[in-house]
Amino acid sequence: MLIGLSSCKTVAIPNFNSQSKPQIPNYNKESSWAVLPTNYPEKLLDKEIEASNLLADVFYIYPTLNIENKDVRWNVPVNDVDQNEKVINAAIKFQASAFINAGKLYVPYYRQAHLRSYSNLENGGESALNLAYSDVKRAFAFYLEKYNNGRPIIIAAHSQGTTHAIRLLKDFFDNKELQSKLIAAYLPGISIDKNEFETICLMTEPSETGGFVSWNTFKKNYYPKDYAKWFKGNAVSNPITWDNELTSNRMDHKGFLYANNTIYKKALEVVVKDGILWTSLPHFPFRIFLIGKKSYHVGDINLFWEDININAVLRVESYFREK
């Protein structure tokens, strides 16, 4: 499954301030967490996960899942059954799972902003995103206090999750003492300035630690709308080679996770352009379903699932060698 966003049609949306806000999550309750190391989903990728021996932590922030045009809510309650089903069976299964071998996984539910927030910032969207981030920040602070115990951390996110992760990194890590515990930040799905942070740099080596990686994936030879405004000149990593190589060989692709829980290896090659990542049409049995698709935003992580899995473990190992 490729998960992500779709466009919204115009609907009558109530003013942000006229809606009652969903109840603030209590992160002391396990029910406010989609995943804790002691409460993993029964199976991820049809195999049991043993987290007790992992030396690092992964704090994952999921992407925009509330995209329905008819849903007029600005923010989703953390006890919304439909939303939480998407978190577990889409976001965690196809994104957060890429990090399960690198560290103990922590995934808080948060009062996520609706997709329309990005195109209606002045009319409620900014407030909705701020509300969502307040939960992420509170969850992370609680995680540090109760669960972390001085362990090194990977920050992983996608799309709206990356929007919040950028703020989280600035509030807790950037030019702060906790940066010494940052293994890496994986931040695909939102365009990021190369100099977004003061002391957290774009990483250009596979085993490098303490920095971030980011990419936004599109069909080869396609430039997205407003490319010059939103993407040109911004950070882009090669999620296959993890270095300054501008291209990759299909034989180097470690694996694409598809909806049938199969990882298809040597399926695609990429080209790093100015601010965006181009990918070839993946070579796998169901490639017909991707013909005509120009934006691969929804697959920013699962297109490179095994590549991320291997690289995250490598960076953890590198972090401990350096200490």
Side-chain angles (χ1 to χ4, degrees), residues 214-323:
S214 182
W215 60 93
N216 289 271
T217 317
F218 296 91
K219 180 180 179 180
K220 192 173 182 180
N221 298 321
Y222 173 74
Y223 286 95
K225 183 180 179 181
D226 295 330
Y227 161 75
K229 179 180 180 181
W230 297 114
F231 296 97
K232 186 175 176 60
N234 284 348
V236 56
S237 306
N238 186 325
I240 293 179
T241 65
W242 305 103
D243 56 19
N244 286 320
E245 289 293 326
L246 299 181
T247 61
S248 72
N249 188 300
R250 187 158 64 89
M251 297 299 103
D252 294 329
H253 177 236
K254 304 300 188 297
F256 157 39
L257 173 62
Y258 192 57
N260 57 4
N261 289 341
T262 300
I263 295 176
Y264 295 97
K265 301 180 180 182
K266 302 177 182 180
L268 55 87
E269 56 190 23
V270 299
V271 177
V272 175
K273 298 299 293 183
D274 184 4
I276 59 174
L277 185 74
W278 280 347
T279 181
S280 60
L281 182 67
H283 286 254
F284 76 117
F286 308 99
R287 63 188 309 209
I288 189 172
F289 296 113
L290 299 182
I291 293 176
K293 179 175 284 294
K294 296 179 179 179
S295 172
Y296 284 81
H297 173 83
V298 297
D300 278 327
I301 290 182
N302 56 301
L303 282 171
F304 311 103
W305 190 95
E306 185 65 16
D307 303 84
I308 294 169
N309 179 29
I310 293 172
N311 182 252
V313 171
L314 174 63
R315 293 191 197 274
V316 171
E317 294 172 347
S318 178
Y319 176 90
F320 282 103
R321 282 198 302 268
E322 294 167 357
K323 298 302 176 183

Side-chain angles (χ1 to χ4, degrees), residues 132-159:
Y133 174 66
S134 72
D135 288 351
V136 173
K137 183 177 182 178
R138 189 182 306 105
F140 188 73
F142 184 85
Y143 150 79
L144 287 177
E145 179 180 354
K146 182 173 181 178
Y147 296 118
N148 176 253
N149 295 316
R151 292 159 57 88
I153 305 167
I154 290 175
I155 299 295
H158 181 246
S159 193

Side-chain angles (χ1 to χ4, degrees), residues 135-201:
D135 288 351
V136 173
K137 183 177 182 178
R138 189 182 306 105
F140 188 73
F142 184 85
Y143 150 79
L144 287 177
E145 179 180 354
K146 182 173 181 178
Y147 296 118
N148 176 253
N149 295 316
R151 292 159 57 88
I153 305 167
I154 290 175
I155 299 295
H158 181 246
S159 193
Q160 182 176 156
T162 292
T163 298
H164 303 316
I166 292 170
R167 297 181 65 176
L168 194 75
L169 288 164
K170 291 180 178 180
D171 284 344
F172 288 90
F173 294 90
D174 196 15
N175 204 22
K176 296 177 174 63
E177 183 178 353
L178 192 60
Q179 188 175 346
S180 66
K181 295 295 184 180
L182 180 65
I183 296 174
Y186 291 79
L187 307 176
I190 291 290
S191 190
I192 304 174
D193 190 292
K194 296 174 183 176
N195 300 310
E196 182 71 33
F197 307 103
E198 293 181 18
T199 56
I200 301 173
C201 300

Side-chain angles (χ1 to χ4, degrees), residues 15-74:
N15 182 279
F16 176 84
N17 292 321
S18 70
Q19 287 190 341
S20 60
K21 309 303 181 288
Q23 185 174 359
I24 297 174
N26 179 357
Y27 290 109
N28 195 42
K29 295 182 177 180
E30 286 196 6
S31 59
S32 294
W33 296 82
V35 177
L36 289 170
T38 56
N39 188 28
Y40 273 33
E42 288 187 6
K43 289 187 179 181
L44 290 175
L45 297 182
D46 294 331
K47 64 179 181 180
E48 300 294 341
I49 304 301
E50 177 53 63
S52 61
N53 297 324
L54 298 172
L55 300 178
D57 290 343
V58 178
F59 191 88
Y60 165 77
I61 313 167
Y62 50 84
T64 307
L65 299 169
N66 186 18
I67 62 175
E68 297 297 329
N69 298 337
K70 62 184 180 181
D71 191 338
V72 299
R73 296 174 298 177
W74 283 103

